[in-house]
Structure formats: structure tokens, C-alpha cells
Amino acid sequence: MPSYQRLPVAFAYGEGAWLVDQAGRRYLDALGGIAVCCLGHAHPQVRAALSEQAGLLVHTSNLYQVPLQEQLAQRLCKLSGLDKVFFANSGAEANEAAIKLSRLYGHKKRGLKEPVIIVMSGSFHGRTLATLSATDSPQAREGFAPLVPGFHQIAYNDIDALSALRASDEEIVAVMLEPIQGEGGIVIPAPGYLRAVRKICTERGWLMVLDEIQSGMCRTGKWFACQHEECRPDIITLAKSLGNGVPIGACMANAAVAECVLPGTHGSTFGGNPLVARTALAVVDYIQTQGLAARAAALGERILSGFHAELDGLEGVKQIRGKGLMIGIELARDCTALVERALDEQLLINVTAKRVVRLLPPLIISDAQAEQIVAKVSRLIREFIAE
């Protein structure tokens, strides 16, 4: 089905931050499979874990104990400060689980008949029917009505909009948001915003649900973007970088939410199978042992400084923003044409929200590769603006 507007290139193999097409041309990957390949392509430790586990055991189903899944859950809980994990196959499924858990909590713990989840303008949570209903994208939603009820949208990065909701509204069960909006254009809220959301949620008995599908796994310089504000939500969702390309999603929750789950409440045939759990453990191990959180933070500052030096004051560049290796350059007009122009320069980038050049390179890029990204993207933007 023609669901994708694919670019005219097919890749044969990858190595680190490079992808090689079928004609042997090398492309520097500044998109990382849309924030998925955090350790780059064909990473030795990931490859070894995949290969060994594939020769031992790939799948048994969740009818049986899965020790590797349990080990991964323990690691993620220790990193996040949360208590329990449900494993799925994607970010959309992880967010679907978060929505279901929020509603389940509302029914079981608060006696709500029709729980309402507060969501944000500019959000993107997935393409299943419930996650699409929580998403603010008219283009993604078009043609799929009727959507799932139970969501109420307010302005992102506007604590007054959240405060203005009736504290006595007994139907609100949760506030769901991205700590940094990825698909929305690398939108970073004001300092203190997440802490303020946490405070309001705590005072009013609402769950705070953070979608860290794109911002998690050290992309912003911390394991989770919310940790920049020392903010601990009630639910965190993960996917993308967790498996470095192997499909896995995770929905982590605190004990009060997790204890609502009983056998049969929710499930997944493939979720957390031995193959994906072993791979994710290899990813977590490598990020920890190599100090990639600090590396992402330092590289991000270096790249942002480079773009400011190259593009500040240039008419047509509205804003340069980022956190770690989650970087956006907003232009004054539609710049989707830059994607193919970069491809011609053997550089992989993305444009989101039509006007934001989005960069999500692997955490393992070198200083020289970071400089190459800055130089090429800056030149492409200057040429585009000059037209």
C-alpha cells in the first residue's frame, strides 16, 4: 500500500553513522532511522547479541517466564525510578498501553465512569486509533473519524492553560505530553514547565504521563528528558532507541498504576520476547559503559554552537533549538525540499512540521561527523534561503 512517500534510494548495509546504498555511495545518517539507531548501524555489540540470541531462542510467548525480559525491566525501572514495565512492539503500542492504564486507574482507583486524558497541541503519540485521537495532527487524523473520545486538548508549554482546568473536574485522570515535541518540530518547553505540570498533577490527583518515545534513551543528554528537571512522572513510554532498530516498546508505571493490572488486563504476543529483550539489554549496557548520555549532551552543545555561528541573524531562519542530539532549525517557509537536496549531498536529514529541519543523529557520531553535519546543513539552508 502506498503509505509512504519514499525517497529514491535503497540501502544495502550500514556501518556506524554511515549507510551505503546499492550503488556503493556512502551517506552520513543525521536522522538515525528517526531517532531509532542510537548506536548507529551494524553495531558490534548489538549484532553479537542478536546473532547469539537468534541461535538460542527467539520467542516463547508471554505464557511463560522470560528471564531476559525481567532483567530488562529491572534495568529500566532502576534508570527511571518507576516500578513496573509492560513490553510492547512499538512506540504507538507503548502509548496505547499508557492510555489504557490511565483509564484503568481512573476506573479502579478513582471510580471514574468516563476518564478524560488531557493532551497537548502539537503532540504526536502514534497511529493506532486511540493514540491518533490523542495526537494533534489534522493530516494524520484525516479520514479516520470517528475518533476515540476521552481526550481534551490544551496548549503545550502553557502552564496557565493547565491550571485553568477545573481542579474539581472529577473526570480528568491524566495529563499526557512529550517533554520535547519531536514530530511537532523539536519544541522545547520553558524551563520549569515539566516541574509545574508535575506539581499540578500531584495536587489534583492526576497522573502525569510522559511520552519519551523520541526523547528517551539519552538522546537529550539524560536517560529521560524529564530528568533535566528532576521530574518523575507516573508513567513513561519508550521505544525507538531502546532496540536500536529491533521493534520494542515499553510502558513503565509507578506501583499505584501498575497494581491495577491483573492477568488478562492487557497483553502482547510478541512483546518483550527473548530476542528483543536481549538486544535492548545490549543497547542499555553500551550506553551506560560508554557514557553516551554525557557524550550526547556535549555533542549537542557543539552542534548547536556551530549552527548559531553559521546561521544566526540570517533572514529566513526563525529559530535554532535543541537538547542533546535532538535538534531543530525552524525556517520561515516550507523547506521540505531540503530533504532531497541533502540526499543529493549524501546526507540524511528530515523536515517535520513542514518548516523545521530535524536532526536526530546516532549517539556514537564523531566530532568530525558532527562538524560535517553542521557544515552541510548550514550550506543547504543558506542556499535555500537565497533563492
Side-chain angles (χ1 to χ4, degrees), residues 17-50:
W18 296 97
L19 281 167
V20 181
D21 71 11
Q22 293 178 326
R25 291 184 293 266
R26 290 166 62 85
Y27 298 75
L28 182 56
D29 188 358
L31 184 59
I34 317 181
V36 168
C37 300
C38 64
L39 302 186
H41 305 282
H43 189 273
Q45 277 85 338
V46 174
R47 183 174 65 232
L50 265 170

Side-chain angles (χ1 to χ4, degrees), residues 189-257:
Y193 174 68
L194 293 180
R195 283 197 302 272
V197 172
R198 173 71 277 179
K199 184 174 184 292
I200 290 172
C201 286
T202 300
E203 290 173 349
R204 301 186 183 182
W206 302 340
L207 299 176
M208 183 180 184
V209 181
L210 288 188
D211 175 346
E212 294 248 19
I213 304 300
Q214 194 165 136
S215 60
M217 297 298 291
C218 296
R219 175 148 298 279
T220 68
K222 299 280 188 183
W223 277 98
F224 307 101
C226 60
Q227 291 173 337
H228 288 284
E229 294 198 8
E230 298 181 350
C231 171
R232 183 182 299 176
D234 301 292
I235 297 174
I236 296 177
T237 55
L238 273 183
K240 289 193 179 287
S241 292
L242 180 57
N244 202 61
V246 174
I248 181 172
C251 176
M252 302 175 284
N254 65 25
V257 174

Side-chain angles (χ1 to χ4, degrees), residues 55-77:
L56 293 172
L57 185 65
V58 171
H59 177 78
T60 61
S61 88
N62 284 300
L63 294 176
Y64 312 103
Q65 294 179 352
V66 185
L68 287 166
Q69 181 186 128
E70 294 169 8
Q71 292 172 34
L72 179 59
Q74 289 168 357
R75 298 287 292 279
L76 293 178
C77 286

Side-chain angles (χ1 to χ4, degrees), residues 304-314 320 374-375 378-379 382:
L304 283 173
S305 294
F307 280 129
H308 281 297
E310 292 276 356
L311 301 174
D312 271 356
L314 199 62
I320 300 165
V374 171
S378 297
R379 177 172 56 79
R382 285 196 300 269

Side-chain angles (χ1 to χ4, degrees), residues 91-246:
E93 287 187 23
N95 283 336
E96 187 86 12
I99 291 166
K100 289 181 70 175
L101 285 177
S102 297
R103 289 184 170 191
L104 185 67
Y105 176 89
H107 288 300
K108 285 193 169 185
K109 293 294 186 77
R110 293 186 48 203
L112 304 181
K113 291 182 178 180
E114 296 185 0
V116 171
I117 298 174
I118 305 302
V119 292
M120 302 293 161
S121 61
S123 63
F124 189 91
H125 297 296
R127 293 181 183 271
T128 64
L129 204 52
T131 57
L132 188 63
S133 302
T135 290
D136 180 25
S137 172
Q139 182 180 1
R141 293 162 64 131
E142 185 178 356
F144 296 110
L147 297 174
V148 177
F151 298 98
H152 176 74
Q153 186 184 116
I154 63 171
Y156 183 68
N157 193 27
D158 184 346
I159 201 62
D160 291 335
L162 184 62
S163 298
L165 296 173
R166 292 181 299 161
S168 60
D169 190 338
E170 297 177 353
E171 297 304 307
I172 296 177
V173 68
V175 178
M176 184 175 188
L177 69 156
E178 299 152 275
I180 296 174
Q181 291 188 336
E183 297 298 321
I186 313 297
V187 181
I188 303 171
Y193 174 68
L194 293 180
R195 283 197 302 272
V197 172
R198 173 71 277 179
K199 184 174 184 292
I200 290 172
C201 286
T202 300
E203 290 173 349
R204 301 186 183 182
W206 302 340
L207 299 176
M208 183 180 184
V209 181
L210 288 188
D211 175 346
E212 294 248 19
I213 304 300
Q214 194 165 136
S215 60
M217 297 298 291
C218 296
R219 175 148 298 279
T220 68
K222 299 280 188 183
W223 277 98
F224 307 101
C226 60
Q227 291 173 337
H228 288 284
E229 294 198 8
E230 298 181 350
C231 171
R232 183 182 299 176
D234 301 292
I235 297 174
I236 296 177
T237 55
L238 273 183
K240 289 193 179 287
S241 292
L242 180 57
N244 202 61
V246 174

